[in-house]
């Protein structure tokens, strides 16, 4: 299952957004039904997106993969492999090159 969280549209600081992300990821990792988390960070100034991707990079080894929305398509091996674990492959952002999201494959 793909869990979706929106941390980019609440008018919060980047620090608050990252704290919310950390809680959401920790919670998702305890639920065996969740395969991945789609983080909606939006575009805006780009500050939240940059921090989300930096945070994910700093967590190297903790996740099976981190997929930027721009790369979330049928040509990305991690995206295809991750999606093969879902019971339903319906996701409106797949193949849309959406820079306002990042997917974390748990």
């Amino acid at each position: 299952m793909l869990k979706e969280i929106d941390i980019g549209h609440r008018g919060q600081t980047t620090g608050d957004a990252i704290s919310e992300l950390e809680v959401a990821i920790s919670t998702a990792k305890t639920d065996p039904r969740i395969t991945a988390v789609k983080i909606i960070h939006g575009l805006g100034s780009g500050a939240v997106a940059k921090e989300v991707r930096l945070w994910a990079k700093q967590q190297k080894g903790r996740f099976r993969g981190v997929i930027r929305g721009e790369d979330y398509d049928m040509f990305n091996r991690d995206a295809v492999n991750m999606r093969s674990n879902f019971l339903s492959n319906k996701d409106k952002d797949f193949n849309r090159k959406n820079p306002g999201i990042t997917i974390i494959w748990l």
Side-chain angles (χ1 to χ4, degrees):
M1 175 170 81
L2 178 66
K3 178 182 174 124
E4 192 173 291
I5 63 165
D6 185 343
I7 62 169
H9 298 97
R10 295 197 178 124
Q12 57 193 2
T13 67
T14 55
D16 290 341
I18 295 302
S19 292
E20 186 176 337
L21 171 62
E22 289 173 341
V23 169
I25 293 294
S26 294
T27 302
K29 286 190 76 129
T30 65
D31 186 337
R33 298 169 298 166
I34 299 174
T35 304
V37 176
K38 180 195 306 186
I39 301 124
I40 302 168
H41 44 66
L43 298 174
S45 69
V48 175
K50 181 179 176 183
E51 286 301 313
V52 164
R53 292 173 178 183
L54 177 63
W55 177 85
K57 186 176 183 179
Q58 292 169 343
Q59 305 296 313
K60 187 174 181 164
R62 184 176 176 197
F63 310 119
R64 294 175 73 184
V66 177
I67 306 162
R68 299 177 336 148
E70 307 89 305
D71 303 324
Y72 184 45
D73 60 29
M74 64 183 159
F75 300 108
N76 182 292
R77 185 185 322 194
D78 279 346
V80 171
N81 289 339
M82 177 193 69
R83 287 172 53 80
S84 70
N85 290 320
F86 298 164
L87 295 176
S88 170
N89 284 334
K90 295 178 184 175
D91 182 5
K92 65 182 174 154
D93 286 308
F94 188 65
N95 284 325
R96 293 196 66 199
K97 307 273 184 208
N98 182 353
I101 65 166
T102 299
I103 310 285
I104 294 183
W105 183 15
L106 302 176

